[in-house]
Amino acid sequence: MPTRPYVSPIRDTAAAEKRARVVDAAGRLLREQADVASFSLDAVAKAAGVTRLTVYNQFGSRRGLLEAVFDERARQGGLNRIADAMAMSDPRAGLDRLVEIFCDFWGGGSGARPAPCRPRPSIPSLQRLSQNAMSVGAR
């Protein structure tokens, strides 16, 4: 006789919340620690208020946890917009959009842009830069 799968929306919600807590705690520890080598699953578990086994069950390894932290940072930073920029029919507009996306990402969503992103180059200045690059390449 086939068994039916166990499905519990309440349990799934609790697991997702716990996973988010672990990813948040890991990201916070990575920002606060000067040395990535001292980053441990034990410290993450303690900071998230879960057991080390929970961290292993959710992520499988330190690498799996780090990937989840980086994926979440990319999601929060809007890097999912890269595909749209790469699909733009006008390459210069696509490049301008990529610059904007990465400036937003490295600015951390705080509204403050990193120094290389201020002021953003205008399309005419990008066109001059592109023309200069093409003329140098043609020589």
Side-chain angles (χ1 to χ4, degrees), residues 23-34 69 73 76:
V23 169
D24 182 57
R28 192 172 53 254
L29 288 174
L30 284 170
R31 285 188 301 274
E32 293 170 358
Q33 293 177 348
V69 170
R73 176 65 186 108
Q76 289 175 353

Side-chain angles (χ1 to χ4, degrees), residues 24-138:
D24 182 57
R28 192 172 53 254
L29 288 174
L30 284 170
R31 285 188 301 274
E32 293 170 358
Q33 293 177 348
D35 182 20
V36 174
S38 64
F39 177 79
S40 73
L41 296 183
D42 288 327
V44 172
K46 184 176 180 181
V50 299
T51 67
R52 183 175 167 201
L53 184 60
T54 297
V55 177
Y56 273 110
N57 286 338
Q58 286 283 333
F59 304 98
S61 65
R62 181 176 186 238
R63 178 181 177 162
L65 175 58
L66 288 171
E67 287 176 359
V69 170
F70 299 148
D71 287 347
E72 179 60 17
R73 176 65 186 108
R75 188 195 65 72
Q76 289 175 353
L79 293 186
N80 58 322
R81 300 175 293 163
I82 291 173
D84 294 336
M86 298 300 287
M88 293 178 81
S89 59
D90 178 2
R92 286 190 175 98
L95 176 61
D96 189 46
R97 185 73 178 124
L98 282 173
V99 169
E100 181 180 312
I101 290 167
F102 280 103
C103 286
D104 289 347
F105 177 78
W106 290 112
S110 64
R113 290 184 173 235
C117 296
R118 297 179 303 234
R120 278 192 45 230
S122 65
I123 292 296
S125 66
L126 285 175
Q127 288 172 340
R128 282 192 303 276
L129 180 64
S130 175
Q131 288 167 352
N132 289 343
M134 286 192 287
S135 68
V136 169

Side-chain angles (χ1 to χ4, degrees), residues 10-34:
I10 294 171
R11 185 174 182 268
D12 292 344
T13 300
E17 289 172 358
K18 195 176 286 188
R19 180 182 175 87
R21 247 187 15 244
V22 171
V23 169
D24 182 57
R28 192 172 53 254
L29 288 174
L30 284 170
R31 285 188 301 274
E32 293 170 358
Q33 293 177 348

